[in-house]
Amino acid sequence: MLKPDALNAGNIGGITKMIEEAGFKIVAMKKTRLTPELAGKFYAIHKERPFYGELCAYMSSGPIMPMILEKSNAVEDFRKLIGATDPKKAAPGTIRALFAKSIDANAIHGSDSDANAEIEGNFFFSQFERF
Ligand code: CMP
């Protein structure tokens, strides 16, 4: 999911180019916007974390672009491609090193397991939106 900072900065093209060049097929993609309640549902796993309120406020502050991506070993390879959550710790050449502004405005989210990828894909897309 591309976050509001990535869309506001005009980085949709730059980031999706890196995703495709890394061998991911974009199966579904759209521009949409979360309400604070929907952001809270999406990130329910972080409900007890101190940054949860800020995270939900930020993720509903502007448009986002969720995607379903396909590749062998996708979860692990995508996490390598995007880099560490905190852009200050992201390896050079990763999406977050190149495009993220802060730990909240960190350009992109990636699912952390196949099971969560399934849940998160279903959160945004119906079966008719996947090709
Ligand atoms: P993301 O991969 O979308 O998953 C949860 C998000 O919470 C994370 O990226 C960060 O943007 C945000 N966040 C804010 N503060 C923290 C923190 N201290 N640790 C982890 N994630 C944080």
Side-chain angles (χ1 to χ4, degrees), residues 3-21:
K3 299 193 179 187
D5 56 292
L7 272 68
N8 287 336
N11 289 330
I12 295 171
I15 296 174
T16 52
K17 184 171 194 284
M18 284 183 69
I19 292 171
E20 291 192 312
E21 283 178 354

Side-chain angles (χ1 to χ4, degrees), residues 1 3 17 28 30 35 45 60 64 67 87 94 100 103 113 115:
M1 169 168 55
K3 299 193 179 187
K17 184 171 194 284
K30 65 183 166 193
T35 61
I45 199 165
S60 55
I64 54 156
M67 293 177 225
T94 58
I103 197 163
S113 66

Side-chain angles (χ1 to χ4, degrees), residues 3 5-6 9 11 15 58 82-90 94-108:
K3 299 193 179 187
D5 56 292
N11 289 330
I15 296 174
Y58 178 66
I82 69 179
T85 306
D86 181 350
K88 284 186 246 130
K89 296 179 187 153
T94 58
I95 290 174
R96 282 169 171 157
L98 291 166
F99 297 105
K101 294 167 174 53
S102 67
I103 197 163
D104 286 310
N106 65 349
I108 192 161

Side-chain angles (χ1 to χ4, degrees), residues 58-76:
Y58 178 66
M59 290 304 295
S60 55
S61 68
I64 54 156
M65 188 160 269
M67 293 177 225
I68 295 178
L69 304 174
E70 196 173 279
K71 186 185 179 299
S72 63
N73 203 38
V75 167
E76 194 186 335

Side-chain angles (χ1 to χ4, degrees), residues 24-43:
F24 292 86
K25 181 181 171 200
I26 299 175
V27 174
M29 174 164 77
K30 65 183 166 193
K31 188 175 179 185
T32 185
R33 190 168 173 150
L34 293 169
T35 61
E37 291 71 28
L38 283 170
K41 275 187 193 157
F42 183 86
Y43 279 115

